[in-house]
C-alpha cells in the first residue's frame, strides 16, 4: 500500500513539476517578448532622435547605407508591434528618390532601376495618391523591396511634404506588395488616422467631403500607357499593388 502511495505521489510530483515548468516557460517567454518590444521602442526613439538632431545625417550616407538604416527602422517597428504618431511621421525622413520623372525614367530604362530597383506602379496601385486637381495624372514608382515610394505630378515633379503632402510618396514600414497585412497595420491605417504629415491633415480638411480621387480620365490613362510603353514595351511589368483592402481601411476610419 505504501509503495502505491509513493508511486502516486511521485507521479503527482512529476506532473506538478512539469506544469510549473510550462507555466514558468510561458511567463518567461511573455516577459521576454515584452522586454524585446520595449527595447525596440527605446532603440527606435534613439534612432529617430539622432536623425532629428542631425547626429545621423541621412543625406550624407550612400544609397546602400541609407537602405540598411531604413530596413533597421522597419525591423524595430515590427519588433515593437506598434506605430506611434511620431514614428508614423518619421517615415517622411526616408524620401530619397530622383527629383523628376525624366530622371526616374532614365534610371529604370538604362540602370535597371538603380540601387533601389524602381518600378512603375499600376494606376490602381496609385489610387491613394490622386487627390485634388490633376491628381489622376500622378505616377507612382516603388522600390524592389516594397518600402520606398516616389510620386510625380503632371509636370514630372516629385511630390513631397513641401509641395503636396496629400499625394507625396511615403516610406513603407512593411513591404506593400508582399506583406499586405503588416502594410495595412503599420502604414495604411496610420495614414487614415494621421495623414502623411500634419500638413496633409489640414489639406484634407480643406477638400470636399468626397475625398475619392478621380481614377478615370482619358488623358491621364493615355499618358500612363505612354510611359509604361517606354519602360516595358508591350509587357505588363509595372508593379501591381492590390488595393482590395483599401476600401476596408477607409471603412475602419
Amino acid at each position: 500500500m505504501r509503495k502505491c502511495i509513493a508511486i502516486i505521489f511521485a507521479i503527482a510530483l512529476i506532473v506538478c513539476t512539469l506544469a510549473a515548468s510550462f507555466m514558468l516557460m510561458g511567463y518567461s517567454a511573455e516577459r521576454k517578448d515584452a522586454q524585446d518590444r520595449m527595447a525596440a521602442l527605446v532603440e527606435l526613439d534613439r534612432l529617430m532622435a539622432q536623425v532629428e538632431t542631425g547626429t545621423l545625417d541621412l543625406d550624407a550616407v550612400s544609397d546602400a547605407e541609407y537602405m540598411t538604416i531604413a530596413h533597421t527602422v522597419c525591423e524595430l517597428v515590427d519588433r515593437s508591434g506598434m506605430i506611434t504618431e511620431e514614428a508614423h511621421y518619421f517615415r517622411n525622413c526616408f524620401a530619397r528618390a530622383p527629383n523628376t520623372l525624366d530622371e526616374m525614367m532614365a534610371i529604370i530604362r538604362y540602370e535597371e532601376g538603380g540601387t533601389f530597383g524602381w518600378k512603375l506602379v499600376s494606376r490602381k496601385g496609385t489610387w491613394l495618391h490622386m487627390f485634388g486637381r490633376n491628381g489622376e495624372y500622378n505616377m507612382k514608382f516603388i522600390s524592389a523591396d516594397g518600402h520606398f515610394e516616389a510620386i510625380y505630378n503632371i509636370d514630372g515633379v516629385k511630390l513631397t511634404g513641401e509641395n503636396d503632402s496629400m499625394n507625396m510618396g511615403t516610406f513603407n514600414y512593411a513591404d506593400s506588395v508582399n506583406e499586405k497585412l503588416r502594410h495595412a497595420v503599420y502604414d495604411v491605417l496610420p495614414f487614415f488616422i494621421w495623414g502623411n504629415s500634419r500638413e496633409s491633415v489640414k489639406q484634407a480638411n480643406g477638400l470636399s467631403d468626397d475625398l475619392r480621387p478621380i481614377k478615370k480620365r482619358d488623358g491621364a490613362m493615355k499618358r500612363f500607357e505612354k510611359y509604361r510603353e517606354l519602360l516595358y514595351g508591350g509587357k505588363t511589368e509595372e508593379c501591381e499593388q492590390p488595393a482590395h483592402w483599401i476600401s476596408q481601411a477607409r471603412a475602419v476610419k
Side-chain angles (χ1 to χ4, degrees), residues 150-196:
I151 313 295
Y152 300 92
N153 65 12
I154 190 172
D155 298 316
V157 175
K158 182 175 70 173
L159 301 183
T160 66
E162 285 70 39
N163 59 18
D164 191 343
S165 57
M166 274 293 293
N167 293 315
M168 62 185 281
T170 57
F171 178 71
N172 297 314
Y173 284 133
D175 181 345
S176 58
V177 178
N178 299 310
E179 298 178 321
K180 297 180 181 63
L181 181 58
R182 279 191 173 92
H183 179 54
V185 173
Y186 293 152
D187 303 302
V188 178
L189 291 179
F191 160 75
F192 282 108
I193 297 171
W194 294 308
N196 287 329

Side-chain angles (χ1 to χ4, degrees), residues 4 59 62 95 109 133 157 171 183 188 201 215 219 233 241 245:
C4 290
D59 293 331
S62 66
R109 294 182 70 187
R133 186 171 180 270
V157 175
F171 178 71
H183 179 54
V188 178
V201 175
K215 291 191 291 182
Q241 291 185 284
W245 44 261

Side-chain angles (χ1 to χ4, degrees), residues 191-210:
F191 160 75
F192 282 108
I193 297 171
W194 294 308
N196 287 329
S197 68
R198 290 180 175 84
E199 185 59 33
S200 66
V201 175
K202 296 177 184 177
Q203 287 187 21
N205 290 337
L207 295 175
S208 64
D209 292 335
D210 185 3

Side-chain angles (χ1 to χ4, degrees), residues 42-185:
V42 171
E43 180 62 19
L44 180 59
D45 285 343
R46 185 188 67 81
L47 201 154
M48 288 193 296
Q50 286 183 323
V51 173
E52 290 167 1
T53 60
T55 305
L56 175 58
D57 186 356
L58 293 178
D59 293 331
V61 301
S62 66
D63 284 348
E65 292 173 307
Y66 185 85
M67 294 181 75
T68 297
I69 295 170
H71 292 162
T72 297
V73 172
C74 293
E75 291 174 5
L76 291 173
V77 166
D78 197 34
R79 279 174 53 196
S80 70
M82 62 180 294
I83 291 291
T84 63
E85 185 175 359
E86 291 74 17
H88 174 67
Y89 291 140
F90 183 62
R91 299 190 311 160
N92 298 332
C93 293
F94 296 95
R96 183 176 292 189
N99 289 321
T100 67
L101 177 59
D102 288 342
E103 291 177 59
M104 176 64 84
M105 292 289 291
I107 288 174
I108 296 177
R109 294 182 70 187
Y110 307 119
E111 300 178 29
E112 298 182 351
T115 304
F116 291 84
W118 294 108
K119 293 182 179 180
L120 175 64
V121 175
S122 68
R123 281 180 58 78
K124 183 172 70 173
T126 312
W127 184 68
L128 286 178
H129 302 271
M130 291 181 174
F131 295 110
R133 186 171 180 270
N134 289 327
E136 68 274 18
Y137 286 91
N138 293 345
M139 296 181 63
K140 178 178 181 178
F141 296 82
I142 194 168
S143 59
D145 62 13
H147 289 289
F148 299 89
E149 297 179 354
I151 313 295
Y152 300 92
N153 65 12
I154 190 172
D155 298 316
V157 175
K158 182 175 70 173
L159 301 183
T160 66
E162 285 70 39
N163 59 18
D164 191 343
S165 57
M166 274 293 293
N167 293 315
M168 62 185 281
T170 57
F171 178 71
N172 297 314
Y173 284 133
D175 181 345
S176 58
V177 178
N178 299 310
E179 298 178 321
K180 297 180 181 63
L181 181 58
R182 279 191 173 92
H183 179 54
V185 173

Side-chain angles (χ1 to χ4, degrees), residues 18-37:
L18 288 174
S21 297
F22 283 122
M23 290 175 65
L24 182 60
M25 287 172 60
Y27 171 76
S28 298
E30 184 177 347
R31 183 177 180 183
K32 183 178 179 181
D33 287 343
Q35 289 175 335
D36 185 59
R37 288 195 296 270

